[in-house]
Amino acid sequence: MHLSHSNIAGIKHNRRRRKDTSDLTMATSRMELFKGFLLTYFMPEKCFDEFFLNFNFLDVPCLKIVLSKGLGIGIILGSVMVKLPQVFKLMGAKSAEGLSFNSIVLELFAITGTMAYSNAQNFPFSAWGEALFLMLQTVAIGFLIQHYRGNTVRGVAFLVLYFAVLCVLLSPFTPMLVITTMQASNMPAIIVGRLIQAGANYSNGHTGQLSAISIFLLFAGSLARIFTSVQETGDSLMAMTYVISSCCNGLIAAQVLYYWNCIPSLKKKEE
C-alpha cells in the first residue's frame, strides 16, 4: 500500500504525540512517587506545597519539620550499627573487662521505657525508632558480658527474662500508669547507670573494652534527639530524658578521651 507524504507525516506526528504523552505520564508518575516519599518520611503536604509550588524554601516552621524528620531518620539508620563496634570489640578481645553489667541493665531499662512509652503514645517511629535497635544491641552486650565472665547460663536467663518482660510492656494489657512511671524513672536510671560505669572507669584507671566509636555516636545521637523530641512529640518528659542522657554520655565520652592512652591490666599481663 502506497502512503502519501501527508499520511507519513501524520503517522510520525501521532507517534510523537503518543511518545510525549507517555513521557508526560511517566514524569507525572515519578513526581507522585517523589511526593509520596517526601510526605511519608519528611514533611506534611502543606510544606510540600510551600517548597515545590510556592518555591518558598525559607519557611521556618517547615524547615524545622524537615530538619527534625531528617535527623530522626539519620539517627535511626545510625543506631542500626552504633553499638556494633562495642559488640565486635568484646568478641575480638573475648573479654568484658571494664564494662559494668549493672550499668547495661539500667541503660536497657531506660531504652525499654522509651520504647514502651512512645508506642503507647503513638509517637511517630522517626521520633524513637533508634531505641529498638539500641535495645537489641544492648541486650547482646549484656549477654556477652555474662558469657565472657563464665556465666553463660545466667546470660541466657537474662535474655529470656528480658524479652518476656518486653512483650508484657508492649502489650495493650499494661496500664498506662506503669508505662508513664517507667518513663519518668528513665532519668534516675540513666544517671545511676552512667555513674556506675564512670565509677568503674575511674577505679580501673582505664575504660577497658568500652568502644570509643560507640560512645561518641551515642553522645551525638542523644544531643540530636533533644531537638527531634521537642519538634516531633512536644513531650517535655521525652526531651528531658534526652538532655540527661546527653550529659551522662558526655561524661563517659570525656573519660574515653582522658584515658585514651591507658592500657587495661589484662593487656599489660599479656605483654
Side-chain angles (χ1 to χ4, degrees), residues 153-173:
V153 174
R154 187 181 297 177
V156 173
F158 160 70
L159 292 178
V160 173
L161 178 61
Y162 173 75
F163 283 110
V165 171
L166 179 63
C167 289
V168 173
L169 289 173
L170 294 180
S171 72
F173 304 107

Side-chain angles (χ1 to χ4, degrees), residues 51 55-61 63:
F51 288 151
F55 299 106
N56 180 17
F57 298 107
L58 298 178
D59 185 85
V60 175
L63 285 174

Side-chain angles (χ1 to χ4, degrees), residues 83 98-111 138 141-142 145 149 189-201 210 215 248-249 252:
K83 287 197 172 189
L99 273 74
S100 167
F101 181 73
N102 291 335
S103 177
I104 291 295
V105 170
L106 287 170
E107 183 181 358
L108 197 56
F109 174 87
I111 293 171
T138 304
I141 291 169
I145 290 175
R149 289 178 180 169
I190 291 170
I191 293 171
V192 173
R194 286 308 189 191
L195 286 179
I196 289 174
Q197 184 62 63
N201 294 339
L210 274 178
I215 293 298
C248 294
N249 286 332
I252 303 298

